[in-house]
Structure formats: structure tokens, C-alpha cells
Amino acid sequence: MYLILLGPPGSGKGTQAERLCKQLDLPHVASGDLFRDHLKRETDLGKLARSYIDKGQLVPDDVTIAMVKERLSRSDCRGGTILDGFPRTQAQAEALDLLLQELGQQLTGVLFMAVPDDVLIERLSGRRICRNCQAPYHVLFSPPREAQTCDLCSGELYQRDDDQPETIKARLDVYHKQTAPLIKFYKGANLLHEVDGNIGIDQVTDSLLTIIRSLQP
Ligand code: ADP
Ligand code: ADP
Ligand code: ZN
């Protein structure tokens, strides 16, 4: 199963991907997590990506596609994967199609989580993520059991630099201009499944799992 979680920043892609991957035993491929790993290791790609991420802009397609391609070509993705945060542009969607073709695979479905902008701002402003495994939390909506500590790996929680009000606004603009057109693109390909992302975390997981089960061959 090759599934895409599509949605604006803060719609719950990371939160749901973590749960779905556990349920379905699939690897989680999150382009944002891959970039943050490069940032932490201070690689050349990390240095390039930082200049875009800090402004809330998208990292250029060529380097993003190359990074995800490398990840999807690894053996653990052979049986499928859950893509989170990729594709975000038309060019990335087309590159993904080609890549899956090369791998002899095809897209199973695209799960779109709809959440209004005012809710997204509230979610992103209170988001904390684990420095070690990047699991997402929220100070009010999804607090860790122990303050500042990841439930999964005991790593330290922190607030992303790009989860500041100015950058959040830029990211939402970028989403509406560059990523939202993919909704229509995947609708046209008969692959789009929309869920209400503005309900409780467990309920969203239930909606997604119901759809995914209906897609299984
Ligand atoms: P969020 O979880 O809020 O949607 P991500 O962690 O997915 O954010 O992405 C953080 C930043 O990393 C983005 O604002 C962008 O700069 C960069 N990024 C992540 N995925 C992509 C992508 N597919 N194409 C271009 N840039 C990306
Ligand atoms: P994305 O990966 O799409 O940017 P996240 O999964 O990181 O989104 O979620 C953004 C923030 O919103 C996190 O702080 C997360 O804990 C919180 N969150 C996720 N889903 C929900 C939900 N259904 N209701 C309330 N808060 C949520
Ligand atoms: Zn952790």
C-alpha cells in the first residue's frame, strides 16, 4: 500500500501517520522529518533547506524529489509506505508517479484531511515535537504524559522555529497556492478520499482506517 496523507500544515499528518504506520506495519516517510534530520546533521542539503524552511517556503523540487526518491528506494519501503508532507507541488506529484512506476508499484490512495485555517494556527502554535524521534505533541490537545518528555522515546520536546506566528502564516499561504491544487489533481485521478480533520485525534484515525480498509485489494 502506497498512501499519501495530504493536508495543510497542522492538519494532523504526522500524528495520524504515526498511528497508521503502527496499525498497518508500514514505514513512515515524512519529507519534513527528513529535512530536519539533515538540519541536525548540518549536511549540505540541511544548510540549503534551512534557508527555505526558516521562511516557511518550500524547498526546491529537485532536491526534495531526490531526497524522497532515495528514501523510497530503500528496501523497507518495498511493501509500501505512508507518505507525509510529500508531494506538495504538481511537479512532486508527477515525479512520484514516475518513481512508483519505476518501482513497479502504484499509488493506493490519497487521504486528505480538511481543517480550517484558524484551527491550524491554534494547533501549530501549541505544537511541540520530540528532538529525538520527531513525534508531535500539543500543549493542550495532545500533551505528553510527563512534561517536555516524549512518551515514545523519552526524548526532549521542543518548539520548531517555523512554528512561530509569522512563519505559520507564510506556510499556510504556500499551502493554499502550491499544495491545495493537488486535491483537484488526485480527484481527477480518482484517488482522493477526504476526511474531516477537525475532530478528535482518535476519531480521525478511525475515519482514515475505515477508508484504508475499503481500499485494500
Ligand atoms: P508540517 O508538518 O507543518 O506540514 P513539515 O514538517 O512537513 O511541516 O515541513 C516543514 C518544512 O519543510 C516546510 O515548511 C518546507 O519548508 C519543508 N518541506 C517539507 N516537505 C516538503 C516538500 N515536499 N517540498 C518542499 N519543501 C518541503
Ligand atoms: P502536520 O504533520 O499535518 O503538520 P501534526 O500531526 O504535527 O500536523 O499536528 C499539528 C498539531 O496539532 C500537533 O501539535 C498535534 O498534537 C495537534 N493535533 C493533531 N491532530 C489533532 C486533532 N485531531 N485535534 C487536536 N489537535 C491535533
Ligand atoms: Zn520521541
Side-chain angles (χ1 to χ4, degrees):
M1 290 203 122
Y2 286 83
L3 297 166
I4 294 175
L5 283 180
L6 182 64
S11 57
K13 300 181 299 295
T15 300
Q16 297 301 331
E18 187 190 302
R19 293 160 157 243
L20 296 177
C21 286
K22 212 172 279 166
Q23 276 276 331
L24 304 167
D25 195 23
L26 287 171
H28 177 194
V29 173
S31 43
D33 289 354
L34 295 174
F35 281 129
R36 278 184 292 279
D37 183 53
H38 277 278
L39 250 57
K40 194 157 83 180
R41 290 188 286 122
E42 297 184 4
T43 65
D44 288 344
L45 174 57
K47 285 175 201 153
L48 173 83
R50 184 184 295 280
S51 59
Y52 294 92
I53 293 172
D54 284 352
K55 289 188 227 134
Q57 292 170 358
L58 296 184
V59 180
D61 282 333
D62 54 348
V63 290
T64 303
I65 290 166
M67 175 182 76
V68 173
K69 189 170 174 178
E70 188 279 324
R71 178 67 191 89
L72 288 180
S73 307
R74 285 191 226 157
S75 59
D76 63 325
C77 292
R78 220 167 276 156
T81 178
I82 296 186
L83 281 161
D84 154 10
F86 183 93
R88 263 176 152 101
T89 63
Q90 179 77 27
Q92 292 178 16
E94 285 166 11
L96 177 65
D97 268 354
L98 264 181
L99 174 60
L100 289 177
Q101 257 178 48
E102 279 168 30
L103 295 169
Q105 304 288 353
Q106 59 186 29
L107 212 51
T108 313
V110 179
L111 305 159
F112 168 59
M113 289 185 284
V115 180
D117 278 12
D118 55 333
V119 176
L120 296 172
I121 292 169
E122 210 182 5
R123 287 189 187 178
L124 293 170
S125 313
R127 173 161 65 183
R128 300 290 182 272
I129 70 167
C130 173
R131 213 176 269 290
N132 182 45
C133 76
Q134 309 217 36
Y137 296 85
H138 190 281
V139 289
L140 300 175
F141 309 141
S142 181
R145 283 194 291 268
E146 204 181 309
Q148 313 295 343
T149 309
C150 178
D151 292 349
L152 302 176
C153 77
S154 301
E156 179 205 7
L157 304 189
Y158 78 107
Q159 182 169 30
R160 280 166 46 177
D161 288 341
D162 60 342
D163 278 344
Q164 302 293 336
E166 284 284 283
T167 323
I168 290 174
K169 208 190 150 292
R171 284 159 61 209
L172 291 177
D173 285 346
V174 163
Y175 167 79
H176 289 295
K177 287 202 186 86
Q178 295 183 260
T179 307
L182 293 183
I183 298 168
K184 204 171 155 200
F185 174 75
Y186 284 122
K187 241 184 216 163
N190 245 329
L191 286 165
L192 194 87
H193 304 271
E194 176 168 340
V195 303
D196 181 3
N198 192 18
I199 52 177
I201 293 177
D202 289 342
Q203 291 164 281
V204 178
T205 310
D206 287 345
S207 317
L208 293 170
L209 280 171
T210 302
I211 294 171
I212 293 169
R213 293 204 177 100
S214 77
L215 298 176
Q216 236 148 13

